[in-house]
Amino acid sequence: MVPSAATDAVFNALSSPTRRKVLERLSVGPASASELAAPFDMQLPSFVQHLSILEESRLVKSKKRGRVRTYEIAPARLKIAEDWLTARRQVWEARLDRFDQYVKQLKQKESKP
Amino acid sequence: MVPSAATDAVFNALSSPTRRKVLERLSVGPASASELAAPFDMQLPSFVQHLSILEESRLVKSKKRGRVRTYEIAPARLKIAEDWLTARRQVWEARLDRFDQYVKQLKQKESKP
């Protein structure tokens, strides 16, 4: 089972449109902090705060080489959120299937002479 | 394409552990507000606020019959979040595949006499 602290951190990280845009960019390939910041009209300290939240959630990891810190996506954590959502949908769909079966049985009973 | 306001509302709704627990409960079947509130050590107005956020995001819908309001999950919106995550993973995996191909080609070139 996934520890709920990990799930909390991941869904919290995903709740910001800025952080989701960063993840969209990083799914295409690694990028430096300044490359990631470029599309956003935001002060650098605020933007770095978003990167920290992403890194703490372990949705991304970073490496420093010389003066440049490069970020990349860490897909294992994305999968925590994806699996949580898929599980909800599957439970729901299984319930609908059982309900369909039940309605079918009722109809068969009614149609018997 | 999914309007980004819908994606924002869904991921915002999913960011709270309380609201995710409510969705876990509702994926099993509909429930009234008081049934949903029972497992939580929370004042009712705070809890109702969580239900409002879920309903505004359209992850859940509610119906009032007499005095009882019943909530149920609305899986189409869950799918918005699931699809967003799946798309990120697929882009990332496609990139890894291309990288593998590239490494394979390099090795073949090197192994030629």
Side-chain angles (χ1 to χ4, degrees), chain A residues 10 13-14 18-33 35-36 50-51 53-63 69-82, chain B residues 11 83-98:
Chain A
V10 165
L14 288 169
T18 300
R19 294 193 290 268
R20 286 200 307 280
K21 284 231 168 70
V22 169
L23 291 170
E24 284 174 9
R25 168 61 190 83
L26 288 178
S27 59
V28 183
S32 70
E35 282 170 333
L36 291 172
H50 283 300
L51 291 179
I53 293 172
L54 282 170
E55 202 162 7
E56 280 160 25
S57 78
R58 300 205 222 154
L59 282 164
V60 311
K61 50 190 178 182
S62 75
K63 253 185 286 187
R69 183 171 287 278
T70 304
Y71 290 82
E72 63 177 303
I73 213 166
R77 289 286 161 129
L78 269 182
K79 199 139 181 10
I80 289 180
E82 197 183 356
Chain B
F11 275 108
D83 287 350
W84 187 90
L85 291 160
T86 305
R88 299 291 81 67
R89 185 171 51 76
Q90 285 171 344
V91 170
W92 176 255
E93 286 173 354
R95 194 187 149 263
L96 288 191
D97 286 348
R98 283 196 302 276

Side-chain angles (χ1 to χ4, degrees), chain B residues 26-97:
Chain B
L26 288 178
S27 59
V28 183
S32 70
S34 55
E35 283 169 331
L36 291 172
F40 297 98
D41 185 20
M42 200 183 284
Q43 297 292 316
L44 196 64
S46 307
F47 187 75
V48 166
Q49 181 63 22
H50 283 300
L51 291 179
S52 303
I53 292 171
L54 281 170
E55 202 164 6
E56 279 159 27
S57 77
R58 300 205 220 154
L59 283 163
V60 311
K61 51 190 180 184
S62 76
K63 253 184 287 188
K64 202 166 183 176
R65 213 182 251 184
R67 285 179 164 198
V68 179
R69 184 171 286 278
T70 304
Y71 290 81
E72 64 177 301
I73 212 166
R77 289 285 160 132
L78 270 182
K79 197 132 182 15
I80 288 180
E82 198 183 355
D83 287 350
W84 187 90
L85 291 160
T86 305
R88 299 291 81 67
R89 185 171 51 76
Q90 285 171 344
V91 170
W92 176 255
E93 286 173 354
R95 194 187 149 263
L96 288 191
D97 286 348

